[in-house]
Amino acid sequence: MLREGRLGKSVDAEFARYTSSLAFDRNILEYDILGSMAHALMLGRRGIIQEEEMKRILAGLLKIYRSRSVSLDHALEDVHVAVEARLFEEIGETAGKLHTARSRNDQVALDLRMLARDRINRISRALLALEEVLLKISGENKETPMPGYTHLQRAQPTTLAHHMLAHFWSFARDLERLEDAYRRVNLSPLGACALAGTSFPIDRTEVARLLGFSGIVENSQDAVASRDFLLEPLSALAILAVNLSRLAEELILWSTAEFGFVELSDELSSTSSIMPQKKNPDALEIMRARVARAIGNLTSAFALVKALPLAYNRDLQELSPVALDSFEILEASVSMLSRILSTAEFKHERMRATCEGDFLTATELADYLVREKGLAFRTAHRIVGRLVAGAVKAGISPDKITPEMLDDAALEVIGKPLGLSKEELECCLSLEKSIAGKRSTGAPSPPAVEESISRGEAKLAEFRARLEDRERKVKEAFEALLKEVERLAG
Amino acid sequence: MLREGRLGKSVDAEFARYTSSLAFDRNILEYDILGSMAHALMLGRRGIIQEEEMKRILAGLLKIYRSRSVSLDHALEDVHVAVEARLFEEIGETAGKLHTARSRNDQVALDLRMLARDRINRISRALLALEEVLLKISGENKETPMPGYTHLQRAQPTTLAHHMLAHFWSFARDLERLEDAYRRVNLSPLGACALAGTSFPIDRTEVARLLGFSGIVENSQDAVASRDFLLEPLSALAILAVNLSRLAEELILWSTAEFGFVELSDELSSTSSIMPQKKNPDALEIMRARVARAIGNLTSAFALVKALPLAYNRDLQELSPVALDSFEILEASVSMLSRILSTAEFKHERMRATCEGDFLTATELADYLVREKGLAFRTAHRIVGRLVAGAVKAGISPDKITPEMLDDAALEVIGKPLGLSKEELECCLSLEKSIAGKRSTGAPSPPAVEESISRGEAKLAEFRARLEDRERKVKEAFEALLKEVERLAG
Amino acid sequence: MLREGRLGKSVDAEFARYTSSLAFDRNILEYDILGSMAHALMLGRRGIIQEEEMKRILAGLLKIYRSRSVSLDHALEDVHVAVEARLFEEIGETAGKLHTARSRNDQVALDLRMLARDRINRISRALLALEEVLLKISGENKETPMPGYTHLQRAQPTTLAHHMLAHFWSFARDLERLEDAYRRVNLSPLGACALAGTSFPIDRTEVARLLGFSGIVENSQDAVASRDFLLEPLSALAILAVNLSRLAEELILWSTAEFGFVELSDELSSTSSIMPQKKNPDALEIMRARVARAIGNLTSAFALVKALPLAYNRDLQELSPVALDSFEILEASVSMLSRILSTAEFKHERMRATCEGDFLTATELADYLVREKGLAFRTAHRIVGRLVAGAVKAGISPDKITPEMLDDAALEVIGKPLGLSKEELECCLSLEKSIAGKRSTGAPSPPAVEESISRGEAKLAEFRARLEDRERKVKEAFEALLKEVERLAG
Amino acid sequence: MLREGRLGKSVDAEFARYTSSLAFDRNILEYDILGSMAHALMLGRRGIIQEEEMKRILAGLLKIYRSRSVSLDHALEDVHVAVEARLFEEIGETAGKLHTARSRNDQVALDLRMLARDRINRISRALLALEEVLLKISGENKETPMPGYTHLQRAQPTTLAHHMLAHFWSFARDLERLEDAYRRVNLSPLGACALAGTSFPIDRTEVARLLGFSGIVENSQDAVASRDFLLEPLSALAILAVNLSRLAEELILWSTAEFGFVELSDELSSTSSIMPQKKNPDALEIMRARVARAIGNLTSAFALVKALPLAYNRDLQELSPVALDSFEILEASVSMLSRILSTAEFKHERMRATCEGDFLTATELADYLVREKGLAFRTAHRIVGRLVAGAVKAGISPDKITPEMLDDAALEVIGKPLGLSKEELECCLSLEKSIAGKRSTGAPSPPAVEESISRGEAKLAEFRARLEDRERKVKEAFEALLKEVERLAG
């Protein structure tokens, strides 16, 4: 019956299937009903519909909300039509009053903003948990040496704590970006109607307040036509995804027999039936691949919105499942990564041995020559380079280097010996001492890491407080709304 | 039981959910069983398993094939494991023999190639139907003038036939690209096993033949690690998608009140309850948006495969649903566009009026001056430009232009009149005559269009013959395989 | 000489060409020198190098800064090496001291952040100008009716002011996003060195302050390995690009003969030599296409960073030109759009006529029936739909509708007449009255638009103040740094 | 002067800069002149211009062709205008005749097809060279064992030859795709004029022949509006890029100290001044990053063409530099990879040791149990899995496994011993024997590899013959054209 007004003839089945959004719409059903409740309440309070009508509508909506028994089949175009059809079954003609001063254009924008709001919070929560895992591993590994890489070549010694903190601070920016996006998502478009607002004396701010929004989207065409409230979170998620993929890639590398820095837990990897010592990092590979999908989803989203004239175009409907896919990918992946990390066993001995087998402290020796012997940086590098090249060629390990060898290298480069003592040399080339010396802010020495962890904890506490505030506001608004609806629906 | 060998401990539910491919796998279940039948047949024929074992396996597989009753739940990792588990239920321990000289790595590559093969053919069939609609519309509109646009500005008169043929020839290249991709898809990877082939005396060519492939993928690492057999069709589909979107965009524009060149059928558009004269081109908008998704899917696919070392990585699993989404989008969209076009009503009068209201034949007049009066092209353009500018300013329509006006313009530019007769002038500025003059190959004059349609029909006939041949070969192979299996399974 | 230490043998020309970043590096030369000045100053102040060395280095850098005479050819790998080579020519061996406690890894991150900072500010400035143009057009067109579109179908009347404000508020969010990104860009990575910080007693915060940064990037691996400080602005720019493209698309449509809502200025469009009345919106088409490039650049950026292990990888070098391309595209496009809009002539008569020719006020009549006659929304819609359908069929224009016609439609739907007066009917169907009635917040009635403009102006003033503050801080830091360098180099 | 007809007022400098294509156009200057020669020749032969005019035009064009002295500055819009302006300087008013029956729309399509044709051939030539390097390495390493990986975990032994052949066959498909694309690129659009062909009696086929094309693009709107002739090669190049990136990634991994399978040549890598034993695979990292750009370029291209109505839109201009970037990236990268591979030193001992240290031959033992002892595949896997697990736990290497240990494992699983002899066991677990056993088509046994190399050589010979044929046809056409022009310009 609702349809009849909208489609000239009987519905063509293929057309209905091709254009239907119902497969996605179950994800916004709850929001659609809550939005209708707030709208009806406002209509009644402002006298746009009669109090009695309002009460009947609310009673009907409440019943539907509790049962969620809305038929989402292809014959009905979308969730908005489906809910209204259900409401009609419940309360008859009065159902038609609900659509006063409203359009499906502002309704769907509302529902999607409520969805995005919820998903951003859920992903933020998962990210907070991941950050805690990273801080925990860092706290436990302040003195676990491991090689730091550039170009995937071992470059300088660092610690597992310092490495994990690199990811911690990177994810902290992801959290910030989600917060920033949330501010622009958490605004109500309702009251924009089809595109030009309405002549009914509505109160847009009141509806926004009832639904826990922090404000409204000012312009009515903008409110129904814009989707940057999805493009921005999708962008933030793509960055997060890329950050995840970097850690996932490292864990995949570290799980190889060649690196051997980590062993994944049995529950979170698959093994070969024939080589039980081998564990396939399947979840991490899938994570890496889903990151690619988050990138592709972003491309879809941008290509979709590009060059669309205002205001609403049906194209926008296709953006919703794309956005949802990224929301789901990221929530699941962040959560999976927390579990993988918190159950992984890091192979401290192998990490240390890898550092020692190579001349990773060579830079430290060069720095010492600059600092104590007044050599220019480049000169010191040449001398140490010569020394290391000789040692590698002769198969001499770092702890076997003698002051004489260094002097030989110095003679070749600057024509005079340097005269370091055996102690000085050991001190420079020692793994522990080298790391301990890196005391600049954000560097791997245990005290610097300690400070960084403290700052990280403080930062997390702030994030958590703000997230809880956001969650609480939405929750309280919904509870208050439902309570009021229950009261009125009596 | 199968799992036990593969996963060290009991399965973690979140891990299983995160890594499972079963949501996708129902799409390849049929192919997986057929592939197993061909493999078992070959194993038996080559004496790698005993005849009796082969018969039991085939009987079991046939039963599963007929019922399709394979449980695809998350507890089982993928379709290959699920089918084998079902087979175990049917025939007990012998089921274990089926996996001889095979791996899930070559199995999934096989299944995906069979899927891609089928989908390419289905989309090609849909495209052939669309091409026929375009030829039909062209045949009926060889003398329907319409404006040709550049920069979305009316530029020169053409005909609806000529315009539709532009799309026809463009889609013909899409058909060609799908054919080319098919040649590289239609090869069997089976026998590559995990990555290094096998020491069992298998016959890869025999299996390929049994499954209707035209050959095998030579190298065994390449066979399990490469996915260009999906990247290539996805690229071809993205190009097709973009071509579709251009026609969809035109139909959306033409459906506006401003253009008014077409009216979509009621069944395939939605209307406003309040403005019944207005039809929203919803299906076309959704088509335009899904094209964006085909582009995004392509991005996902490329980003996913980028920088993966050989051979198989679990990342590849995530490519399959992305590919399937594009296959489905394109098949449905091509089919929907056929229906929209074949039921649309083109507004001939409006198209003609649009041509006449503007000076679309001005170029023709300039060409005439070049041809008959020996003027340089640029000079002729300046004269006609002056003439048209004056006429537009004075509100004079094309049919009211006189030889004197032209002479005035010529005097200004070259200092002498041109002396065209009234007849000559009318002939140049007449819409029909102008179009009729465009006789170069591929131009809009009715005879040129006629020839183009003939060539198009011949081309379509060839496409159709080749497609039918491809379809027939697969169908016959499957029938023969099933018949042989039935015979052996007794 | 510098090279010798880095590359084992003589440089291979093709390798040098393939890997060189010098084509890009001219864009960061200035920042590289300023960064070196701040670094040298800090090294000297902290006693890491001697005061005399510091002074010589600063004098050399100042000379280079003033002349910008750094040879950027392929023989030298990158700008950092090139500047140091120039410095060596100026001051000899002491040049080697500059690289103490620094690496090209943190240097390039520094330079890119300084570049991004500058570009974000420049684009923000251009956006502010565009916003002013939009407000100006809005202020002048509060009573210029035009059709509002959904699905590119005329839907309801709005005004040019209201339409332009939709874009205004959308771009305001782009400005916000750039501000948010700026906070995360405006941090100094210097002191991270190769990846693990340093044992020299550097002061990272001091360097940050000298260069006008608001703080430092905490973790040293994160500081050299992360590039979200580019991914985030690139994402914000892609959203801005898409927003631009929507307005560009509308202007292209409006420039067609079919819409005829706008005439672009002659200087900013191209015309046909033969149809002077026709103007091609070339700049807008190119803008629309460059938006696609901004999307593609974003894809490149994400695909590039995906799955890179920490810390620095040479891949990152290739991100810089991609980012610069988007920065340049957006700055030029925003600026071009301002000029196009501020010189365009809007065709008020055509816009109004377009509204009146169609029944764009029909929704208003339905709303009136709901409000005054207590009809359900859906019922009112059916009645008005029936009325409009009849009128369109009979060729009756809105101002010719009579109360009797309405009653006929009502009889058919609800079985009784409605009895509206002629005045009531006219009031509903009048364009001016319909628009004037849309008084909800953000709707097109002139008073609502007036308020929205005021809020917009206030918002712009805030943006401007913050932007000027950002620009001033950088400028003052640079001036102070150069002054100090001049004093010491004196 | 040419401009005057096209732009109403004097040119706006910012507009000119924003819309100019001249930065790109130097890449098609040569083709533009050749195209004009062919066009002029045809015009003359068909009597559309007089013989004398044709001769003067050809003489002018020849002079320009020889000197290439065409000013490409922003004041002139594009290369077509620039060439015509130069021609006007040379021969005066007659220059205006050249534009008869032609438009910049078909001209630019022609030039781009000539460019794409040339670039496809150049990249194909570079690919052939890469394929030869791969075959050469394969030929030399048929008996060089190395681990085959799945999930980046060592899985089964293979050989370096077999691994390189995987890439060989993958790149062979890239060559095929370029050939297929070439067929659709190598068609002439000239004669399509602005969009509707012409009333001049031109001969499109003759022009195509003169320029070495294999045919024409049938429909005139399609000829100027379509760009799938760029989208298709860009797609093929993106696939090629992804294939390159996989080999590049492997070489980066293999260059690590952890894998140690390859040492890049000094000329093609960069080293640390301080750790000379470490070589950074810079060129490979840049290659991996440029692959990301090829993906992004593809996204740009698709997003750009999406939803453009026919026929020519200025947007298309922006596609050209994007396409060129990918052409250049791929040609340089393929060539660089050839050099890297042909100068790399593969570390045979390390590869072999890596195979032996792990139980990579365990699968072979399981297969033997299936084959000789009639065990089901899954059962055999369980027994061997048990055996390997015990050995790894006890630190027993493969060559120390005894028949008794196997029997112990068998007893646990199937309750009875297997009774293999020591010889049988050694034979299964031996690296050489295991590889030698893999004789299925495309597997790593030396004879199978030998055959595969032969087939590869035959395939390459065919590719080379076809490429040379394509190159020769274009070259001969150009030579014949220039010769004829010289004769006539006499």
Side-chain angles (χ1 to χ4, degrees), chain B residues 40 83 107 155 174 205 210 258 275 277 279 295 309 341 343 346 355 368 374 384 402 469:
Chain B
V83 168
Q107 246 183 301
D174 289 309
T205 305
L210 286 170
E258 287 73 12
M275 284 185 285
Q277 79 281 20
K279 286 187 194 166
I295 297 172
L341 277 172
T343 58
F346 292 95
C355 291
Y368 186 83
V384 178
T402 63
D469 183 58

Side-chain angles (χ1 to χ4, degrees), chain A residues 105-124:
Chain A
N105 296 352
D106 56 347
Q107 246 185 300
V108 72
L110 176 78
D111 297 354
L112 291 174
R113 283 174 179 268
M114 290 170 82
L115 175 77
R117 195 167 68 163
D118 179 49
R119 296 299 176 132
I120 289 173
N121 284 345
R122 280 159 65 169
I123 295 169
S124 300

Side-chain angles (χ1 to χ4, degrees), chain B residues 41 45 51 54-55 58 483-490:
Chain B
L41 209 52
R45 285 178 179 172
E51 192 171 346
M54 174 188 75
K55 284 183 176 172
L58 290 177
K483 206 166 152 191
E484 177 69 357
V485 168
E486 279 160 12
R487 192 182 67 80
L488 291 165

Side-chain angles (χ1 to χ4, degrees), chain A residues 33 37 40 51-66 86-87 90-91 484-490:
Chain A
I33 303 171
M37 288 174 174
E51 190 170 349
E52 215 34 59
E53 293 168 337
M54 173 188 75
K55 285 183 176 172
R56 285 178 65 189
I57 289 171
L58 290 175
L61 288 171
L62 187 60
K63 197 166 162 198
I64 298 170
Y65 181 80
R66 282 177 180 154
R86 267 292 286 125
L87 189 60
E90 288 294 334
I91 64 167
E484 177 69 356
V485 169
E486 279 161 11
R487 193 182 65 80
L488 290 165

